[in-house]
């Protein structure tokens, strides 16, 4: 067997594999001999079928199978030994119909090669890492929500500004019929809320959906419709009032604190505020880190310049998926996935150059910590090592879950690398200002 490579350019190559008869003949003889021992052919006793007949019936199929196996093994070994970093999979070049009686065969494969490039984490302009804090407004709003949640409902006959109103939204044409409980402060603008003030049980209020809420998600919940249906919806709906209540706020006393945090977990309003702030900011850390990860990913993709074997990859995509694509579909798919492919190459280089590794022990430890936190939410604060070991083993037996955890750990290690080596500035903001600055004032 002989394997040669012709480099077309820095990103494309053709590998030629020459297979001679002596590379496979012994193996085929042995397989056909084994077939002869077990073949059931009418007119012959088992094991006494003439070899010529066995070869005639099975020879070509065995030859094709063995040559293909030999070809794939040789090609994979060659790519490994030559340390060729290929994209996609080798593509067999189109050739005339193979003469399987020839004895010697030649096959050619197109290769798409990974580009050479350098990654620079030090951007000229510093990338912002948001340190998100819970401001006084958020903490006070959270305390008021707690007081409402644990407060008493007092029945009312007339809707007032701070009433909780239960009723049914309806529109026959759109088949809307949904009962909800709402507060007037959720409406966009004072005009809609004003229609409710003074209304009584049984009253029917007519509303326009356009401009009813600032957020489409609020409209989705109120009308129980899909997001696509809520976006830009401009119809009339009726709201029939069925119940009116005012919520008396719960007292901020030790009884409430104990309900929230257990006996003497919190002993004052000051401690309550500190606890709410601490719990909220733990959640915000993940959001700040995710924003940083997204921004650095975007920076790396936009500023790490290299070419890709685009023509090869589009050709490979035509046959790589479950469904075959035509040339135009493959080009469209390539354009959609190019950015992701570029980041995969950049990420792979960073992982190799910085020796980032995720071990089986890392995955097990992460799974155990995840299980420990989940069990704590259900009041199981001290699970045994055996419990954690057994549950984590079941979780990790799912290959998709094990892969997800591994990818999560790689992201964490890359984030640590970015924090250490990238040009980052820290900016402290309240959660409200973070949402405005990052997502716009929606």
């Amino acid at each position: 067997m002989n394997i040669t490579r012709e480099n077309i350019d820095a990103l494309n190559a053709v590998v030629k594999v020459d297979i001679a008869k002596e590379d496979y003949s012994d193996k085929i003889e042995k397989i056909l001999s084994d077939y002869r021992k077990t073949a059931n052919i009418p007119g012959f006793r088992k094991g006494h079928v003439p070899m010529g007949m066995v070869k005639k019936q099975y020879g070509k199929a065995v030859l094709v199978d063995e040559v293909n196996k030999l070809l794939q093994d040789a090609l994979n070994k060659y790519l490994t030994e030559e340390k060729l970093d290929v994209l996609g999979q080798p593509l067999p070049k189109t050739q005339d119909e193979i003469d399987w009686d020839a004895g010697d065969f030649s096959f050619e494969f197109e290769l798409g090669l990974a580009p050479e490039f350098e990654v620079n984490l030090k951007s000229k302009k510093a990338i912002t890492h948001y340190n998100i804090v819970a401001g006084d407004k958020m903490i006070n709003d959270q305390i008021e929500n707690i007081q409402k949640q644990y407060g008493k409902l007092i029945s009312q006959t007339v809707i007032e500004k701070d009433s909780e109103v239960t009723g049914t939204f309806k529109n026959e044409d759109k088949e809307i019929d949904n009962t909800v409980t709402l507060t007037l402060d959720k409406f966009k603008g004072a005009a809609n809320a004003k229609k409710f003030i003074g209304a009584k049980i049984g009253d029917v209020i007519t509303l326009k959906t356009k401009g009813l809420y600032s957020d489409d998600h609020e409209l989705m919940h109120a009308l129980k419709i899909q997001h696509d249906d809520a976006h830009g919806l401009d119809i009339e709906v009726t709201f029939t009032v069925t119940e009116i209540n005012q919520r008396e706020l719960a007292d901020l006393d030790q009884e409430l604190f104990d309900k929230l945090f257990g006996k003497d977990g919190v002993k004052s309003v000051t401690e309550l505020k500190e606890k709410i702030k601490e719990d909220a900011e733990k959640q915000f850390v993940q959001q700040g880190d995710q924003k940083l990860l997204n921004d650095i990913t975007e920076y790396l993709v936009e500023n790490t310049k290299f070419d890709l074997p685009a023509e090869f990859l589009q050709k490979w995509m035509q046959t790589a998926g479950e469904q075959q694509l035509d040339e135009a579909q493959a080009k469209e798919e390539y354009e959609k996935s190019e950015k992701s492919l570029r980041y995969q190459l950049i990420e792979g280089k960073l992982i190799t150059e910085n020796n980032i590794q995720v071990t089986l022990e890392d995955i097990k430890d992460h799974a155990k910590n995840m299980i420990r936190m989940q069990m704590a939410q259900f009041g199981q604060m001290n699970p045994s090592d055996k419990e954690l070991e057994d549950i984590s083993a079941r979780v990790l037996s799912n290959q998709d879950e094990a892969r997800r955890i591994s990818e999560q750990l790689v992201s964490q290690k890359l984030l640590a690398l970015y924090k250490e080596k990238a040009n980052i500035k820290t900016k402290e903001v309240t959660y409200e200002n973070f949402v405005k600055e990052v997502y716009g004032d929606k």
Side-chain angles (χ1 to χ4, degrees):
M1 185 184 300
N2 186 42
I3 303 181
T4 55
R5 180 173 85 248
E6 177 189 358
N7 291 326
I8 309 301
D9 54 37
L11 299 173
N12 295 275
V14 173
V15 169
K16 184 180 180 185
V17 183
D18 294 320
I19 297 177
K21 189 171 184 178
E22 56 266 25
D23 294 325
Y24 60 81
S25 56
D26 289 347
K27 184 71 182 290
I28 288 178
E29 285 296 326
K30 183 178 184 310
I31 292 171
L32 290 175
S33 293
D34 290 341
Y35 272 23
R36 186 186 180 212
K37 294 173 187 175
T38 57
N40 284 312
I41 295 179
F44 297 94
R45 285 185 297 136
K46 195 172 182 179
H48 292 273
V49 180
M51 180 56 89
M53 187 172 286
V54 172
K55 285 183 178 180
K56 186 176 179 181
Q57 187 158 345
Y58 301 108
K60 187 174 180 180
V62 173
L63 171 65
V64 172
D65 189 43
E66 286 307 307
V67 168
N68 278 326
K69 284 180 185 175
L70 192 62
L71 185 60
Q72 290 304 318
D73 289 346
L75 190 57
N76 291 336
K77 186 179 178 184
Y78 176 79
L79 296 178
T80 303
E81 288 177 349
E82 293 292 308
K83 297 180 180 176
L84 291 177
D85 193 359
V86 298
L87 302 178
Q89 295 291 332
L91 283 177
K93 289 191 74 173
T94 305
Q95 61 187 96
D96 296 334
E97 189 170 337
I98 300 169
D99 179 8
W100 291 104
D101 296 323
D104 297 341
F105 309 102
S106 287
F107 303 91
E108 290 185 335
F109 293 85
E110 295 178 62
L111 303 182
L113 305 177
E116 293 288 336
F117 59 91
E118 297 298 323
V119 182
N120 179 18
L121 285 172
K122 291 287 185 185
S123 55
K124 289 181 181 178
K125 183 182 177 183
I127 296 171
T128 302
H129 183 208
Y130 290 94
N131 177 27
I132 307 167
V133 297
D136 290 341
K137 182 180 182 303
M138 170 175 271
I139 293 168
N140 291 333
D141 285 349
Q142 182 64 23
I143 289 173
E144 186 176 335
N145 287 337
I146 289 169
Q147 287 180 279
K148 285 180 179 178
Q149 183 182 347
Y150 288 89
K152 294 177 183 176
L153 281 177
I154 299 171
S155 180
Q156 293 179 296
T157 56
V158 176
I159 297 175
E160 297 177 7
K161 184 181 177 182
D162 59 352
S163 297
E164 286 188 13
V165 185
T166 300
T168 304
F169 280 108
K170 285 190 177 183
N171 177 289
E172 288 188 11
D173 291 343
K174 295 290 184 179
E175 297 183 346
I176 293 168
D177 187 351
N178 188 47
T179 300
V180 293
T181 298
L182 53 82
T183 55
L184 307 190
D185 60 321
K186 294 290 186 182
F187 291 128
K188 183 179 180 180
N192 288 312
K194 197 172 180 181
K195 292 181 180 181
F196 283 77
I197 303 298
K200 300 175 182 178
I201 292 173
D203 285 355
V204 179
I205 301 162
T206 302
L207 302 157
K208 284 272 191 183
T209 56
K210 186 176 181 180
L212 186 59
Y213 291 101
S214 300
D215 188 339
D216 285 346
H217 291 90
E218 294 279 3
L219 190 62
M220 285 168 56
H221 171 71
L223 306 184
K224 202 173 182 180
I225 56 176
Q226 298 298 314
H227 184 273
D228 290 346
D229 296 330
H231 185 66
L233 185 66
D234 187 8
I235 60 171
E236 274 193 353
V237 291
T238 59
F239 183 88
T240 305
V241 181
T242 57
E243 189 177 340
I244 308 167
N245 293 298
Q246 185 178 54
R247 193 170 285 272
E248 183 182 89
L249 299 182
D251 291 331
L252 294 173
D253 55 18
Q254 194 60 49
E255 182 182 354
L256 177 61
F257 301 155
D258 289 349
K259 282 181 184 176
L260 294 170
F261 303 106
K263 180 70 173 169
D264 294 335
V266 164
K267 295 183 179 179
S268 66
V269 174
T270 300
E271 287 184 17
L272 174 64
K273 288 183 176 183
E274 288 171 355
K275 181 70 175 170
I276 290 171
K277 181 178 174 67
E278 179 188 350
D279 289 347
E281 290 178 358
K282 280 180 185 175
Q283 302 297 319
F284 297 157
V285 167
Q286 187 176 357
Q287 292 186 55
D289 282 351
Q290 188 60 52
K291 173 62 178 164
L292 177 63
L293 194 60
N294 292 346
D295 287 347
I296 292 182
T297 298
E298 192 71 26
Y299 158 76
L300 289 172
V301 170
E302 293 299 322
N303 293 277
T304 307
K305 303 299 182 185
F306 54 82
D307 292 327
L308 289 169
E311 188 178 333
F312 168 84
L313 288 170
Q314 289 173 42
K315 194 186 293 186
W316 170 69
M317 284 179 173
Q318 287 184 252
T319 57
E322 290 182 7
Q323 291 185 333
Q324 288 209 348
L325 306 179
D326 61 30
E327 194 173 324
Q329 289 171 323
K331 185 178 181 182
E332 184 182 353
E333 186 64 29
Y334 173 76
E335 288 169 354
K336 281 186 201 170
S337 59
E338 183 184 355
K339 196 171 180 180
S340 172
L341 175 57
R342 286 181 177 277
Y343 183 65
Q344 285 175 27
L345 291 170
I346 294 166
E347 185 184 77
K349 191 170 184 68
L350 287 169
I351 288 170
T352 301
E353 289 183 346
N354 294 279
N355 196 30
I356 292 174
Q357 297 179 358
V358 174
T359 66
L360 182 58
E361 285 306 310
D362 291 335
I363 295 172
K364 281 183 178 179
D365 288 343
H366 184 85
K368 286 178 185 178
N369 287 333
M370 181 178 69
I371 293 160
R372 191 179 285 111
M373 286 188 289
Q374 289 173 349
M375 293 177 79
Q377 291 175 355
F378 295 96
Q380 293 175 266
M381 305 306 293
N382 295 300
S384 68
D385 289 342
K386 186 176 186 310
E387 281 181 298
L388 292 173
E389 195 72 42
D390 290 346
I391 297 171
S392 66
R394 286 200 296 274
V395 170
L396 297 178
S397 66
N398 182 326
Q399 290 186 350
D400 289 339
E401 184 64 20
R403 183 168 54 251
R404 187 189 67 80
I405 291 173
S406 178
E407 289 170 355
Q408 204 173 58
L409 289 172
V410 168
S411 288
Q412 288 176 9
K413 289 178 184 251
L414 282 169
L415 181 63
L417 175 72
Y418 297 155
K419 286 181 178 179
E420 177 190 348
K421 296 189 175 182
N423 183 12
I424 293 171
K425 65 176 182 182
T426 301
K427 182 176 182 179
E428 184 173 289
V429 290
T430 63
Y431 181 73
E432 293 84 1
N433 287 337
F434 170 75
V435 171
K436 286 179 184 177
E437 189 167 327
V438 173
Y439 303 107
D441 190 5
K442 295 180 180 178

